[in-house]
Amino acid sequence: MTGPIGIFDSGYGGLTILRQIRGLMPEYDYLYLGDNARAPYGTRSFELVYEFTLQAVRRLFDMGCPLVILACNTASAKALRSIQQNNLPEIDPTRRVLGIIRPTVEALGEISHTGHIGIVATPGTIRSHTYELEIAKSYPDMQVTSEACPMWVPLVENQEFDSPGADYFVQKRIGNLMHHDPEIDTILLGCTHYPLLLDKILKYVPSNVKVIPQGEYVANSLQQYLLRHTDMEQRITQGATCRYLTTEDPSMFNESATIFLRQPVTAERIILD
Ligand code: DGL
């Protein structure tokens, strides 16, 4: 069976990943699904994030996707491994679900000079310790400091990322991180919503510190994956289209997604269960 690449996120954040992937590989068809009605995931339990993510993956499979990218760190941290190990063999072992944490971590080695890394992410991603564990596997000498930012996703989901109110929450979290380890020279945005806050983040980060959104690394890694797995690549249809699905009111999704992607978006509503 052939079909589009499925891209899933709890809400709008995955659009920052989709934009980079489509920029690099515009020839493929894409099916984006945002579970906006149940976002944010970052403060939810392991069980719920797993249940919701599995529902989304099943739906994207039902709609013909041979490959689904969890363009959400929270879902990648909490649900990816369980879905790959427990569900995929029984649903369809020829399909694939990939996350975005490993590709991001792999890129870190070339970016940091001091080996001191700061991670900002949702409370769920931070509590899972997935970034620390993955970094320790690839770069055992790196010093990692993590900071959970529970308010950042709501600021983005509610289009408040440009507002003066956002400054307070961004300054507070970046301040905590740099206070904890002043040698940090690289801050990784471990949540796909955070690139929307980049201008605010850069205001409060010392000028020698690099701030790294993940989209570019995820897109490059997916391209390499498809070059290595030609059997999968041949199952992806090439009509250069993108269709958008949301579990919320589509008119809300269209308005925000159009701002995030800087192009008109027309979404359809679906119900996940
Ligand atoms: N965008 C998601 C991530 O990368 C999470 C947002 C949420 O909390 O729903 O972690």
PDB file of all heavy atoms in Angstrom, residues 164-180:
ATOM      1  N   PRO A 164       3.752  40.664  25.549  1.00  0.00           N
ATOM      2  CA  PRO A 164       4.648  41.013  26.657  1.00  0.00           C
ATOM      3  C   PRO A 164       4.564  39.981  27.783  1.00  0.00           C
ATOM      4  O   PRO A 164       5.549  39.736  28.475  1.00  0.00           O
ATOM      5  CB  PRO A 164       4.114  42.372  27.135  1.00  0.00           C
ATOM      6  CG  PRO A 164       3.272  42.887  26.023  1.00  0.00           C
ATOM      7  CD  PRO A 164       2.765  41.712  25.256  1.00  0.00           C
ATOM      8  N   GLY A 165       3.405  39.327  27.937  1.00  0.00           N
ATOM      9  CA  GLY A 165       3.258  38.303  28.981  1.00  0.00           C
ATOM     10  C   GLY A 165       4.222  37.147  28.781  1.00  0.00           C
ATOM     11  O   GLY A 165       4.705  36.538  29.752  1.00  0.00           O
ATOM     12  N   ALA A 166       4.525  36.843  27.533  1.00  0.00           N
ATOM     13  CA  ALA A 166       5.427  35.721  27.242  1.00  0.00           C
ATOM     14  C   ALA A 166       6.829  36.004  27.785  1.00  0.00           C
ATOM     15  O   ALA A 166       7.545  35.085  28.195  1.00  0.00           O
ATOM     16  CB  ALA A 166       5.480  35.456  25.743  1.00  0.00           C
ATOM     17  N   ASP A 167       7.212  37.277  27.808  1.00  0.00           N
ATOM     18  CA  ASP A 167       8.560  37.622  28.280  1.00  0.00           C
ATOM     19  C   ASP A 167       8.812  37.098  29.692  1.00  0.00           C
ATOM     20  O   ASP A 167       9.892  36.582  29.987  1.00  0.00           O
ATOM     21  CB  ASP A 167       8.767  39.150  28.283  1.00  0.00           C
ATOM     22  CG  ASP A 167       9.027  39.658  26.884  1.00  0.00           C
ATOM     23  OD1 ASP A 167       8.041  39.934  26.176  1.00  0.00           O
ATOM     24  OD2 ASP A 167      10.210  39.737  26.511  1.00  0.00           O
ATOM     25  N   TYR A 168       7.825  37.248  30.544  1.00  0.00           N
ATOM     26  CA  TYR A 168       7.993  36.831  31.939  1.00  0.00           C
ATOM     27  C   TYR A 168       8.361  35.351  32.029  1.00  0.00           C
ATOM     28  O   TYR A 168       9.322  34.963  32.705  1.00  0.00           O
ATOM     29  CB  TYR A 168       6.712  37.122  32.732  1.00  0.00           C
ATOM     30  CG  TYR A 168       6.743  36.511  34.112  1.00  0.00           C
ATOM     31  CD1 TYR A 168       7.432  37.120  35.152  1.00  0.00           C
ATOM     32  CD2 TYR A 168       6.111  35.287  34.353  1.00  0.00           C
ATOM     33  CE1 TYR A 168       7.490  36.535  36.410  1.00  0.00           C
ATOM     34  CE2 TYR A 168       6.158  34.696  35.605  1.00  0.00           C
ATOM     35  CZ  TYR A 168       6.852  35.323  36.632  1.00  0.00           C
ATOM     36  OH  TYR A 168       6.922  34.736  37.855  1.00  0.00           O
ATOM     37  N   PHE A 169       7.573  34.522  31.330  1.00  0.00           N
ATOM     38  CA  PHE A 169       7.777  33.069  31.441  1.00  0.00           C
ATOM     39  C   PHE A 169       9.065  32.611  30.744  1.00  0.00           C
ATOM     40  O   PHE A 169       9.725  31.681  31.195  1.00  0.00           O
ATOM     41  CB  PHE A 169       6.565  32.327  30.863  1.00  0.00           C
ATOM     42  CG  PHE A 169       5.325  32.557  31.678  1.00  0.00           C
ATOM     43  CD1 PHE A 169       4.338  33.439  31.253  1.00  0.00           C
ATOM     44  CD2 PHE A 169       5.150  31.917  32.894  1.00  0.00           C
ATOM     45  CE1 PHE A 169       3.204  33.676  32.021  1.00  0.00           C
ATOM     46  CE2 PHE A 169       4.024  32.139  33.680  1.00  0.00           C
ATOM     47  CZ  PHE A 169       3.045  33.022  33.242  1.00  0.00           C
ATOM     48  N   VAL A 170       9.413  33.277  29.665  1.00  0.00           N
ATOM     49  CA  VAL A 170      10.640  32.893  28.955  1.00  0.00           C
ATOM     50  C   VAL A 170      11.861  33.303  29.770  1.00  0.00           C
ATOM     51  O   VAL A 170      12.778  32.497  29.996  1.00  0.00           O
ATOM     52  CB  VAL A 170      10.663  33.520  27.537  1.00  0.00           C
ATOM     53  CG1 VAL A 170      12.021  33.317  26.879  1.00  0.00           C
ATOM     54  CG2 VAL A 170       9.559  32.906  26.678  1.00  0.00           C
ATOM     55  N   GLN A 171      11.852  34.530  30.272  1.00  0.00           N
ATOM     56  CA  GLN A 171      13.004  35.014  31.046  1.00  0.00           C
ATOM     57  C   GLN A 171      13.234  34.138  32.286  1.00  0.00           C
ATOM     58  O   GLN A 171      14.360  33.793  32.628  1.00  0.00           O
ATOM     59  CB  GLN A 171      12.760  36.469  31.469  1.00  0.00           C
ATOM     60  CG  GLN A 171      13.962  37.080  32.159  1.00  0.00           C
ATOM     61  CD  GLN A 171      13.743  38.552  32.481  1.00  0.00           C
ATOM     62  OE1 GLN A 171      12.603  39.025  32.525  1.00  0.00           O
ATOM     63  NE2 GLN A 171      14.825  39.271  32.690  1.00  0.00           N
ATOM     64  N   LYS A 172      12.119  33.779  32.938  1.00  0.00           N
ATOM     65  CA  LYS A 172      12.223  32.972  34.158  1.00  0.00           C
ATOM     66  C   LYS A 172      12.926  31.635  33.884  1.00  0.00           C
ATOM     67  O   LYS A 172      13.856  31.232  34.597  1.00  0.00           O
ATOM     68  CB  LYS A 172      10.803  32.725  34.668  1.00  0.00           C
ATOM     69  CG  LYS A 172      10.697  31.867  35.891  1.00  0.00           C
ATOM     70  CD  LYS A 172       9.248  31.845  36.355  1.00  0.00           C
ATOM     71  CE  LYS A 172       9.044  30.813  37.444  1.00  0.00           C
ATOM     72  NZ  LYS A 172       7.658  30.757  37.890  1.00  0.00           N
ATOM     73  N   ARG A 173      12.510  30.934  32.830  1.00  0.00           N
ATOM     74  CA  ARG A 173      13.059  29.591  32.559  1.00  0.00           C
ATOM     75  C   ARG A 173      14.492  29.643  32.048  1.00  0.00           C
ATOM     76  O   ARG A 173      15.332  28.832  32.442  1.00  0.00           O
ATOM     77  CB  ARG A 173      12.159  28.844  31.566  1.00  0.00           C
ATOM     78  CG  ARG A 173      10.764  28.592  32.104  1.00  0.00           C
ATOM     79  CD  ARG A 173      10.817  27.753  33.358  1.00  0.00           C
ATOM     80  NE  ARG A 173       9.556  27.750  34.074  1.00  0.00           N
ATOM     81  CZ  ARG A 173       9.385  27.213  35.274  1.00  0.00           C
ATOM     82  NH1 ARG A 173      10.395  26.660  35.913  1.00  0.00           N
ATOM     83  NH2 ARG A 173       8.208  27.245  35.853  1.00  0.00           N
ATOM     84  N   ILE A 174      14.763  30.609  31.159  1.00  0.00           N
ATOM     85  CA  ILE A 174      16.139  30.733  30.645  1.00  0.00           C
ATOM     86  C   ILE A 174      17.065  31.150  31.797  1.00  0.00           C
ATOM     87  O   ILE A 174      18.189  30.649  31.925  1.00  0.00           O
ATOM     88  CB  ILE A 174      16.198  31.766  29.484  1.00  0.00           C
ATOM     89  CG1 ILE A 174      15.368  31.268  28.295  1.00  0.00           C
ATOM     90  CG2 ILE A 174      17.648  32.046  29.070  1.00  0.00           C
ATOM     91  CD1 ILE A 174      15.866  30.003  27.626  1.00  0.00           C
ATOM     92  N   GLY A 175      16.559  32.038  32.660  1.00  0.00           N
ATOM     93  CA  GLY A 175      17.337  32.474  33.830  1.00  0.00           C
ATOM     94  C   GLY A 175      17.689  31.283  34.718  1.00  0.00           C
ATOM     95  O   GLY A 175      18.838  31.128  35.143  1.00  0.00           O
ATOM     96  N   ASN A 176      16.728  30.421  34.988  1.00  0.00           N
ATOM     97  CA  ASN A 176      16.982  29.228  35.819  1.00  0.00           C
ATOM     98  C   ASN A 176      18.077  28.353  35.213  1.00  0.00           C
ATOM     99  O   ASN A 176      18.969  27.866  35.900  1.00  0.00           O
ATOM    100  CB  ASN A 176      15.723  28.350  35.910  1.00  0.00           C
ATOM    101  CG  ASN A 176      14.697  28.930  36.860  1.00  0.00           C
ATOM    102  OD1 ASN A 176      14.967  29.903  37.543  1.00  0.00           O
ATOM    103  ND2 ASN A 176      13.515  28.329  36.885  1.00  0.00           N
ATOM    104  N   LEU A 177      17.960  28.153  33.915  1.00  0.00           N
ATOM    105  CA  LEU A 177      18.903  27.265  33.214  1.00  0.00           C
ATOM    106  C   LEU A 177      20.333  27.803  33.318  1.00  0.00           C
ATOM    107  O   LEU A 177      21.260  27.092  33.702  1.00  0.00           O
ATOM    108  CB  LEU A 177      18.458  27.191  31.751  1.00  0.00           C
ATOM    109  CG  LEU A 177      18.851  26.007  30.907  1.00  0.00           C
ATOM    110  CD1 LEU A 177      18.352  24.706  31.512  1.00  0.00           C
ATOM    111  CD2 LEU A 177      18.256  26.164  29.499  1.00  0.00           C
ATOM    112  N   MET A 178      20.509  29.088  32.991  1.00  0.00           N
ATOM    113  CA  MET A 178      21.842  29.666  32.957  1.00  0.00           C
ATOM    114  C   MET A 178      22.415  29.834  34.371  1.00  0.00           C
ATOM    115  O   MET A 178      23.621  29.765  34.568  1.00  0.00           O
ATOM    116  CB  MET A 178      21.834  31.026  32.223  1.00  0.00           C
ATOM    117  CG  MET A 178      21.450  30.942  30.758  1.00  0.00           C
ATOM    118  SD  MET A 178      22.349  29.691  29.772  1.00  0.00           S
ATOM    119  CE  MET A 178      24.055  30.181  29.957  1.00  0.00           C
ATOM    120  N   HIS A 179      21.516  30.026  35.337  1.00  0.00           N
ATOM    121  CA  HIS A 179      21.960  30.137  36.723  1.00  0.00           C
ATOM    122  C   HIS A 179      22.506  28.782  37.198  1.00  0.00           C
ATOM    123  O   HIS A 179      23.525  28.696  37.882  1.00  0.00           O
ATOM    124  CB  HIS A 179      20.768  30.571  37.586  1.00  0.00           C
ATOM    125  CG  HIS A 179      21.091  30.616  39.045  1.00  0.00           C
ATOM    126  ND1 HIS A 179      21.871  31.608  39.600  1.00  0.00           N
ATOM    127  CD2 HIS A 179      20.753  29.784  40.072  1.00  0.00           C
ATOM    128  CE1 HIS A 179      21.999  31.384  40.888  1.00  0.00           C
ATOM    129  NE2 HIS A 179      21.338  30.287  41.200  1.00  0.00           N
ATOM    130  N   HIS A 180      21.829  27.727  36.791  1.00  0.00           N
ATOM    131  CA  HIS A 180      22.219  26.380  37.206  1.00  0.00           C
ATOM    132  C   HIS A 180      23.556  25.965  36.606  1.00  0.00           C
ATOM    133  O   HIS A 180      24.381  25.327  37.261  1.00  0.00           O
ATOM    134  CB  HIS A 180      21.124  25.383  36.798  1.00  0.00           C
ATOM    135  CG  HIS A 180      21.240  24.076  37.475  1.00  0.00           C
ATOM    136  ND1 HIS A 180      21.931  23.015  36.932  1.00  0.00           N
ATOM    137  CD2 HIS A 180      20.775  23.649  38.670  1.00  0.00           C
ATOM    138  CE1 HIS A 180      21.877  21.997  37.762  1.00  0.00           C
ATOM    139  NE2 HIS A 180      21.189  22.349  38.828  1.00  0.00           N
TER     140      HIS A 180
END
